[in-house]
Structures are given as structure tokens and as C-alpha cells.
Amino acid sequence: SAVISQKPSRDICQRGTSLTIQCQVDSQVTMMFWYRQQPGQSLTLIATANQGSEATYESGFVIDKFPISRPNLTFSTLTVSNMSPEDSSIYLCSATRGSSENTIYFGEGSWLTVV
Amino acid sequence: DAKTTQPTSMDCAEGRAANLPCNHSTISGNEYVYWYRQIHSQGPQYIIHGLKNNETNEMASLIITEDRKSSTLILPHATLRDTAVYYCLRASGSARQLTFGSGTQLTVLP
């Protein structure tokens, strides 16, 4: 299994500011993803974090709002830019080792509240 | 498009088996069925996955119909700690992207 650590686990942010969430995996993984879970809702995929290149965003999510980095195989960051109360959500990092290891693991999430 | 259909909620008596159904009638030949659960305010926890054979691990059993259009997750002896939202998902072997539906809220009753 893979252990995924996220920081911060929880934060309260001011409207208009930006916050960067870090995701660290304890072993090399092939693919990393970022999800958002708004209050009372299910998870929605934001983007696939690609090592050494621009992330692949899902419909409705853009790089200017959610810049993502993945400098190596075990680390990724998601920034939530120019936050508004609508960005109050749990942001989750997930990872998988790829075709020989089908399981997809999730971090515990970063709970952001924008005031 | 969640691609799977699950009941919104289910109850189960503590100590009894919990059987959670999932419909995935349009599943492709290379798509796996995954089950996760999410306890309030925590990240999703992997339970089990399978392609076409039934699978069992220390947490649960997964029964997939022969036509692969539906599956059932079985928690053999439910405990109060099994109260959670259970998600049934499908993902191809290479894509690894999961599309979450609304899931089933399982409540284990004492």
C-alpha cells in the first residue's frame, strides 16, 4: 500500500488569498490526482498531476485557479488561488503505482474554509 | 455521469452481513470495479476491487455477476465502525481516474 500525507489538514483562509496544499507519497507512484469534495457532496476530479509537465485539468477547472506542480514521483502541490467562500471544500490527493498495482490510494484530505 | 448506480442509503444490524449492491450495466471489458468508503471528514478508504472474478480480502468480499453488469460488496459481520458512505466505481486499468457517484450511506444499527 501507499501512504499519502497532506498538509495542511485544515485551514481557515481569508477571501482573496491563495493557499498551497502539499501531497507527499511514501513511495514512487506513476499517477497522482487532485479531487475536490464540497460540503455534503461527492468527490470531483480536478486534475491529473503530471511529473515535469503541466497538469491535465477536467472540465470546469483551470490552471489559473488551481495551479498544480509535480516536481518528482512522490510529491505534488495544489494551489487554490484568489479564494472565495465557494472554494470551501475538502481537497484530496490520490495516487497509484500504475498498471501492475491497480489500487488507488487517497490522502486524508485538506479541509479549507474561506471566510 | 457517475457510470454506476447505488441505493442512496441502507441500514444493517450490527453483527449481520451488509450487502451493498451496485449497477454498472455499461461497464467496458477492461474496466475494474472498485469499492471505497468514506467516514465523515476523512479521505476515501480503499476496500476492494475486481475485474470479473469474485474477490475477498480481510475487509470484504466482492461478488461480480457473470455479465459484469452489477456487483455486490459484502461486509460479513458489520460493526458500528462500518457506518460510512460506500462508493462503487469503475476505472480502466490504465486511466486510473475515478468518477465518484453519490454512493450509499450505510448505517449499522446497534
Side-chain angles (χ1 to χ4, degrees):
Chain A
S1 66
V3 176
I4 302 177
S5 303
Q6 286 186 233
K7 290 193 295 186
S9 58
R10 188 179 291 264
D11 208 342
I12 299 173
C13 307
Q14 295 296 318
R15 184 194 303 250
T17 63
S18 299
L19 183 79
T20 296
I21 303 167
Q22 298 180 2
C23 176
Q24 178 72 54
V25 187
D26 68 342
S27 56
Q28 291 190 348
V29 291
T30 304
M31 305 184 77
M32 295 180 74
F33 307 95
W34 287 96
Y35 288 80
R36 180 176 74 181
Q37 187 172 27
Q38 294 176 303
Q41 304 295 314
S42 185
L43 285 77
T44 301
L45 179 65
I46 298 172
T48 302
N50 300 309
Q51 184 198 0
S53 64
E54 191 172 290
T56 304
Y57 290 84
E58 297 299 304
S59 176
F61 298 96
V62 295
I63 188 171
D64 290 346
K65 177 67 176 177
F66 298 102
I68 289 171
S69 76
R70 189 180 172 193
N72 58 52
L73 287 173
T74 63
F75 186 78
S76 178
T77 66
L78 167 74
T79 299
V80 186
S81 302
N82 188 25
M83 286 185 283
S84 67
E86 292 72 33
D87 294 320
S88 297
S89 296
I90 302 173
Y91 292 87
L92 294 130
C93 173
S94 77
T96 180
R97 292 197 181 100
S99 60
S100 62
E101 167 58 64
N102 292 329
T103 303
I104 304 166
Y105 298 98
F106 284 83
E108 285 302 312
S110 298
W111 197 324
L112 303 187
T113 302
V114 184
V115 297
Chain B
D1 177 14
K3 302 182 182 179
T4 62
T5 305
Q6 299 176 253
T8 302
S9 63
M10 292 181 63
D11 291 340
C12 176
E14 188 178 17
R16 304 295 295 270
N19 296 280
L20 292 91
C22 178
N23 180 286
H24 33 78
S25 58
T26 61
I27 196 168
S28 302
N30 66 345
E31 287 187 301
Y32 287 75
V33 178
Y34 285 82
W35 283 85
Y36 287 80
R37 71 182 183 185
Q38 188 175 28
I39 298 170
H40 182 63
S41 300
Q42 298 181 17
Q45 178 188 20
Y46 167 79
I47 301 173
I48 199 167
H49 73 278
L51 185 61
K52 52 184 176 181
N53 296 323
N54 297 338
E55 302 288 343
T56 296
N57 62 22
E58 65 279 3
M59 289 183 68
S61 295
L62 174 61
I63 308 298
I64 303 175
T65 58
E66 192 170 340
D67 62 10
R68 302 210 324 123
K69 293 185 177 182
S70 65
S71 61
T72 301
L73 178 74
I74 301 173
L75 307 178
H77 305 287
T79 71
L80 299 178
R81 285 191 298 269
D82 292 322
T83 293
V85 178
Y86 286 76
Y87 294 100
C88 167
L89 309 105
R90 41 191 270 199
S92 71
S94 60
R96 296 294 186 276
Q97 295 164 320
L98 299 175
T99 301
F100 284 78
S102 299
T104 297
Q105 170 66 59
L106 174 69
T107 301
V108 180
L109 304 171

